[in-house]
Amino acid sequence: MCKYKKNKCFEDGNAVYEIAKRIIDKQRQAAEEEEGCGASENTAVNGPLEAMSSTAMKKKVLLMGKSGSGKTSMRSIIFANYIARDTRRLGATIDVEHSHVRFLGNLVLNLWDCGGQDTFMENYFTSQRDNIFRNVEVLIYVFDVESRELEKDMHYYQSCLEAILQNSPDAKVFCLVHKMDLVQEDQRDLIFKEREEDLKRLSRPLACTCFRTSIWDETLYKAWSSIVYQLIPNVQQLETNLRNFAQIIEADEVLLFERATFLVISHYQCKEQRDAHRFEKISNIIKQFKLSCSKLAASFQSMEVRNSNFAAFIDVFTSNTYVMVIMSDPSIPSAATLINIRNARKHFEKLERVDGPKHSLHMRMR
């Protein structure tokens, strides 16, 4: 099927090859399911609980910080479909809560939410040190911006860094300066900059990336999108193909969202856009809309928004993603864009596998 304008289209190759490939993939999937191990009782997986394939790429993520800093609230909003006001009923985390979050098919985030009470923190650095800090891919340390025990917070953070250097020296470190909504708006930039400078200085020789966050706005999605982006194994290949896709269909911009969390995992833009925070705002808005639909026993599938200046399409793309396409050319009908999205799905499904195809999506002419 072709795009309406200029007869551009893209194809997924020889039909016979595709049929054979699907048969092989089904056989491989069936074999993997037989070999896979079941999820544990305290494991939370996006979608229905299912056996984890032996080919899954697991990444250990430590979520740490003082008690009351907001760790569990942000985890619940991003991964458990909570809305901000509902996090008030969450209790304090006791010791360590483990969860497995399936992300983009093969990638599984092994998330360790570590309780921040003093007793637990001391145990992490002594009796549980090797267990907690071994094989860590990412450390996320959350600071309450209005904490009255900043010196103690910094002491615990430095203890974490020492344990990371000893057990997982290649881990990436992220610091979230949280609850920024409690700071007067005209003071937020100054306070965050000062805290960021202190944290980067204390983190040496490790590199530290800092974000300001709040559960009440889009900053939480910006931070977690950036963190998860670092864990996607084939992100460069994904971005190359997304760029080719955008150029083929002459889109102004294309965004790829993870299906359950609606975090932005990749994007390509052909034209400059005025709002630098548009990705996180869209994530927040659509996630809330999806939750509203679920409360009415309805499911969110797709959306089209059109005015005199542009058309925006949000649609299911692969089994693990949604795509958003922005078009400003009025001569391209909606049906053509939707056909192109549908035709690209099979190719991007393959890219989500770690052993996916090495070729890129190219423009073809009829």
Side-chain angles (χ1 to χ4, degrees):
M1 295 199 180
C2 296
K3 182 183 159 196
Y4 175 78
K5 190 179 178 184
K6 298 182 184 177
N7 287 327
K8 291 178 186 173
C9 66
F10 47 87
E11 302 165 354
D12 281 318
N14 184 272
V16 175
Y17 169 81
E18 290 298 333
I19 293 172
K21 191 73 169 66
R22 283 200 299 269
I23 293 172
I24 293 171
D25 288 344
K26 287 182 178 179
Q27 292 174 341
R28 179 187 298 166
Q29 183 179 1
E32 290 172 351
E33 288 176 352
E34 290 179 0
E35 296 174 1
C37 58
S40 61
E41 291 182 1
N42 64 340
T43 295
V45 181
N46 286 342
L49 287 175
E50 55 182 313
M52 291 190 180
S53 167
S54 59
T55 62
M57 180 176 292
K58 296 181 182 180
K59 303 280 189 177
K60 183 176 178 180
V61 178
L62 284 188
L63 183 58
M64 304 193 75
K66 279 284 290 173
S67 180
S69 60
K71 305 182 298 298
T72 303
S73 293
M74 64 172 63
R75 186 197 71 176
S76 298
I77 288 173
I78 297 295
F79 296 110
N81 294 328
Y82 274 66
I83 58 177
R85 66 173 179 268
D86 288 345
T87 61
R88 294 168 180 165
R89 67 173 186 260
L90 292 170
T93 301
I94 304 301
D95 202 6
V96 181
E97 289 187 5
H98 301 269
S99 57
H100 289 138
V101 183
R102 188 173 292 280
F103 204 89
L104 284 182
N106 282 321
L107 178 60
V108 175
L109 304 185
N110 184 9
L111 190 59
W112 293 42
D113 183 356
C114 302
Q117 293 90 333
D118 290 343
T119 302
F120 297 142
M121 295 293 277
E122 294 296 338
N123 286 337
Y124 301 153
F125 306 131
T126 53
S127 61
Q128 298 185 55
R129 187 183 185 92
D130 290 344
N131 181 47
I132 295 290
F133 294 100
R134 189 189 299 121
N135 299 323
V136 175
E137 292 281 343
V138 167
L139 167 66
I140 304 171
Y141 203 96
V142 182
F143 292 90
D144 181 347
V145 70
E146 290 205 324
S147 172
R148 297 180 181 179
E149 298 181 308
L150 183 58
E151 187 174 338
K152 181 184 284 187
D153 293 347
M154 293 299 186
H155 168 70
Y156 281 144
Y157 173 60
Q158 285 188 299
S159 298
C160 282
L161 294 181
E162 291 172 5
I164 286 290
L165 274 171
Q166 181 181 355
N167 293 276
S168 304
D170 296 326
K172 298 178 177 66
V173 179
F174 297 90
C175 291
L176 307 187
V177 183
H178 196 46
K179 303 185 181 181
M180 289 295 292
D181 56 286
L182 301 178
V183 179
Q184 290 185 5
E185 192 167 354
D186 60 348
Q187 295 293 313
R188 290 175 188 173
D189 289 343
L190 177 61
I191 290 176
F192 175 73
K193 186 176 181 181
E194 291 177 351
R195 194 65 58 85
E196 182 181 35
E197 290 175 353
D198 289 341
L199 290 170
K200 288 190 172 183
R201 176 175 50 80
L202 290 172
S203 300
R204 295 171 187 158
L206 291 172
C208 164
T209 304
C210 299
F211 295 96
R212 68 185 83 186
T213 55
S214 167
I215 64 173
W216 300 101
D217 60 29
E218 70 278 356
T219 56
L220 188 64
Y221 285 88
K222 179 179 181 179
W224 278 90
S225 290
S226 299
I227 292 168
V228 169
Y229 176 87
Q230 303 281 337
L231 297 172
I232 299 173
N234 58 341
V235 68
Q236 298 300 326
Q237 187 183 4
L238 188 63
E239 289 184 334
T240 297
N241 282 269
L242 202 65
R243 181 190 67 225
N244 292 343
F245 173 59
Q247 292 174 347
I248 289 171
I249 66 174
E250 297 179 8
D252 293 4
E253 190 165 37
V254 178
L255 284 74
L256 203 60
F257 301 92
E258 200 277 329
R259 189 164 181 169
T261 62
F262 238 82
L263 295 174
V264 177
I265 55 176
S266 184
H267 81 280
Y268 178 76
Q269 67 180 64
C270 300
K271 294 183 179 179
E272 286 296 322
Q273 306 293 337
R274 289 179 294 180
D275 190 349
H277 305 291
R278 62 193 180 282
F279 302 156
E280 299 79 40
K281 291 178 180 177
I282 292 169
S283 290
N284 200 7
I285 291 169
I286 300 300
K287 184 78 173 288
Q288 300 306 313
F289 182 68
K290 282 183 64 182
L291 294 177
S292 298
C293 290
S294 64
K295 290 180 180 179
L296 297 173
S299 60
F300 174 77
Q301 179 77 17
S302 62
M303 175 187 295
E304 178 179 349
V305 179
R306 179 180 290 274
N307 62 23
S308 58
N309 298 316
F310 72 93
F313 304 84
I314 300 177
D315 202 356
V316 171
F317 200 41
T318 70
S319 58
N320 298 293
T321 61
Y322 276 86
V323 69
M324 181 174 186
V325 176
I326 308 296
M327 309 286 291
S328 62
D329 188 342
S331 67
I332 302 176
S334 298
T337 300
L338 294 173
I339 286 172
N340 280 330
I341 291 173
R342 185 180 67 194
N343 287 348
R345 283 175 180 149
K346 187 184 295 183
H347 183 86
F348 280 86
E349 284 276 10
K350 296 175 185 176
L351 290 177
E352 290 183 7
R353 299 198 306 269
V354 174
D355 61 340
K358 303 304 180 186
H359 61 276
S360 298
L361 187 65
H362 295 292
M363 185 181 297
R364 299 192 180 188
M365 304 289 293
R366 274 189 182 174

